[in-house]
Amino acid sequence: LDVTITGNSFSISPEFLFGELRYQLKTLIENRFQGNSAAFLNAIITGDKSGFSADYTNLLIQTGIYRILYSPFMHIWLIVFIAGLLPFNKQNRDRVILFLITLYALANSSSPTIMKAALLFGVLVLSRQLYGYANKLDIISKILLLMTVFEPLLCFDSGFIMSVGTTVVLYFSYKPIFAYFFGRFKGFKMKKRRFFAKALTLCIILLFGTLPLGACLFNGISLYSVLFT
């Protein structure tokens, strides 16, 4: 492959800088680890899942671990977690999250699933900042409409479909499931216990709510993948 550079202009985009950082991290990992161990770390840290061997990829798919290696989910929640550790009030913490989510979206603008996740989370935070509330269903609908208008083939992308399906299932089932399992217990009104109750509710929804969709897209499910998820 021959590359010819023309002109004297020079520009650096967030996507270029993130790509360079991803390359350096990938090189660092591959210098210290080998084979599927290196590929697994690359999948978690950089989002690159191309390094797995064919047999190992099939194993990850059969056990349900492959869908967990979903970089938007891991990276956005990592951003939220880190921002939550900062000694800021809720409003300033939301501003930090919005800034970092915007950078993350710009750095991964070529990935539709990452853009969808980043736009959704970023617009939710921005709406809460500007208006004090966020109509989640309205925001989800508008973002999905815009993305599919600009790229209709996303309607046939399994990763995008799973991402949208998970978002919709979470939106409609979170409150009733939380109320059914934990709403009747007064002890869960305590902040720490309520946090774990919310986390367990999310686990229940993510484990079982997307199984029918996964079975439809991938022609089957693994029963023990529930444990890994």
Side-chain angles (χ1 to χ4, degrees), residues 37-93:
S37 297
F40 203 87
L41 284 175
N42 274 323
I44 294 173
I45 297 174
T46 69
D48 182 6
K49 295 185 283 189
S50 63
F52 294 117
S53 65
D55 291 340
Y56 198 73
T57 300
N58 290 332
L59 180 63
L60 292 177
I61 293 174
Q62 291 171 5
T63 57
I65 297 177
Y66 195 78
R67 69 173 182 172
I68 304 173
L69 300 175
Y70 180 52
S71 56
F73 177 81
M74 291 189 295
H75 293 165
I76 288 176
W77 280 109
L78 182 61
I79 290 172
V80 174
F81 174 73
I82 293 174
L85 298 177
L86 299 176
F88 296 151
N89 59 37
K90 192 174 186 300
Q91 189 175 29
N92 289 332
R93 187 164 58 243

Side-chain angles (χ1 to χ4, degrees), residues 115-134:
M115 283 297 295
K116 175 258 173 188
L119 280 172
L120 177 58
F121 204 93
V123 174
L124 286 173
V125 174
L126 181 62
S127 178
R128 194 166 59 188
Q129 283 278 311
L130 295 177
Y131 308 112
Y133 71 96

Side-chain angles (χ1 to χ4, degrees), residues 67 162 210-221:
R67 69 173 182 172
M162 283 295 293
T210 58
L211 284 181
L213 184 59
C216 179
L217 290 173
F218 305 112
N219 299 318
I221 61 173

Side-chain angles (χ1 to χ4, degrees), residues 174-223:
Y174 175 80
K175 287 184 179 180
I177 289 180
F178 181 83
Y180 180 80
F181 285 104
F182 306 108
R184 70 191 72 178
F185 299 109
K186 295 181 179 180
F188 284 105
K189 293 182 179 180
M190 296 174 59
K191 188 174 182 180
K192 290 183 178 180
R193 291 184 181 180
R194 192 172 182 83
F195 170 80
F196 286 107
K198 287 181 176 181
L200 185 57
T201 302
L202 288 175
C203 286
I204 293 172
I205 296 171
L206 292 175
L207 290 178
F208 301 105
T210 58
L211 284 181
L213 184 59
C216 179
L217 290 173
F218 305 112
N219 299 318
I221 61 173
S222 171
L223 294 178

